[in-house]
Amino acid sequence: MSQPLWGIDLGGTKIEGVILPGPDRAEPMVRTRIPSESGKGYKHILNQISRLVNMMKDESGLIPEKIGFGTPGVTDPVLQTMKNCNSTALNGQPLKADLEELLGVEVVLENDANCFALAETNWGVVKEKMPNAKMVFGIIMGTGTGAGIVYNGHTWLGKQGIGGEWGHNYLDESGGACYCGKTGCVETVISGPGTERFYTSLSGKKLKLDEIYTLYKNGNDAAAIKTIERLCYFFGKAVSVVVNILDPDVIVVGGGVGNIKELYSLGRASLENYVFNNRLDTPILAPSLGDSAGVFGAAALVAPVDTNALNR
Ligand SMILES: [Zn+2]
């Protein structure tokens, strides 16, 4: 019998934990969450994680051997400290070592976009529709823009741990300054806030993306139409860079911005224009696990290595 898989998704507002019965079944034995209260600092986040793990132990009667964590940002492979986290309390901290000392178990840490890509590959839309996909590119477009690469069933971290960090590729000057210190990043142009800023620049009104999208669908707000068309145009342009380099078997688009259906029609048409090929065979799919992808993917980090997957 396989060991249960313990996963924890460390978010900016909540910390969510799950115990799955094993790699074949994504039906939680335990699923629970508490607020991360990340504004109270690093030590407080650690205490909250410890509290959550104790709750999971009590509820399941189980003791973990290993725990997978989905984190904002990544662990620097050389320094072994966190970097690129938008929950900035974590940056520079030796999170892996601190968690292992605090919890007394081995932990595996990976970026939340990697977890998303891994969960959709193992249990979500990729498994349903493209079970033989060797390379999966999983995009999260929401408040930020990130992505994870899964190759032969494993996440691809890269030499510096930044494999898949497509959100901070250069896209267009109109995005303006990014928190990362550069300008015109993919994230500044096609994230939710980036798209909302563009709408405000046209209309003078501050609206949320779902409100802008409703106006777009109603068809009589010129600024909303221009905003969604711009989003789709730049989505295609940004993704073309990935397709030209990785040529993935499938692309999955998650996050709040991913709910905009035109990304799959107008966005896809734009991608087709910019990719270095005379056609586009790459499926672009909507995820099927919803909010569960992050925490399921964290649990997938501690699943036993499927050696068959390596030889596919
Ligand atoms: Zn950036």
Side-chain angles (χ1 to χ4, degrees), residues 88 159 219 225:
T88 49
K159 183 174 174 59
I225 293 169

Side-chain angles (χ1 to χ4, degrees), residues 167-169 176-188:
H168 298 273
N169 276 11
C178 183
Y179 79 90
C180 75
K182 304 182 205 341
T183 58
C185 292
V186 168
E187 177 165 310
T188 63

Side-chain angles (χ1 to χ4, degrees), residues 60-205:
S60 66
L62 299 171
I63 303 287
E65 284 184 4
K66 247 185 183 185
I67 305 179
F69 280 84
T71 63
V74 296
T75 306
D76 187 294
V78 178
L79 304 173
Q80 289 294 311
T81 52
M82 299 300 291
K83 64 181 177 186
N84 300 348
C85 301
N86 51 7
S87 299
T88 49
L90 297 174
N91 284 327
Q93 301 289 353
L95 183 61
K96 179 176 159 65
D98 287 344
L99 285 175
E100 288 185 338
E101 194 187 317
L102 181 73
L103 304 172
V105 294
E106 185 188 338
V107 305
V108 180
L109 263 55
E110 279 199 34
N111 176 258
D112 46 15
N114 291 11
C115 292
F116 162 78
L118 194 57
E120 289 293 341
T121 301
N122 285 357
W123 299 302
V125 71
V126 178
K127 169 126 184 169
E128 284 160 36
K129 297 193 173 162
M130 298 281 296
N132 295 320
K134 278 190 177 175
M135 181 170 286
V136 179
F137 192 69
I139 294 172
I140 299 187
M141 290 166 70
T143 313
T145 303
I149 301 164
V150 174
Y151 180 59
N152 276 342
H154 297 268
T155 50
W156 185 270
L157 300 179
K159 183 174 174 59
Q160 303 165 101
I162 60 167
E165 290 287 4
W166 158 83
H168 298 273
N169 276 11
Y170 175 76
L171 179 57
D172 191 74
E173 216 54 49
S174 65
C178 183
Y179 79 90
C180 75
K182 304 182 205 341
T183 58
C185 292
V186 168
E187 177 165 310
T188 63
V189 182
I190 63 172
S191 64
T195 306
E196 289 161 3
R197 268 197 310 276
F198 182 75
Y199 179 78
T200 304
S201 76
L202 294 181
S203 68
K205 288 184 281 186

Side-chain angles (χ1 to χ4, degrees), residues 34 45-55 99 102-103:
I34 56 172
I45 297 172
L46 289 180
N47 287 337
Q48 290 293 86
I49 294 170
S50 175
R51 236 184 84 202
L52 182 77
V53 170
N54 286 332
M55 285 161 62
L99 285 175
L102 181 73
L103 304 172

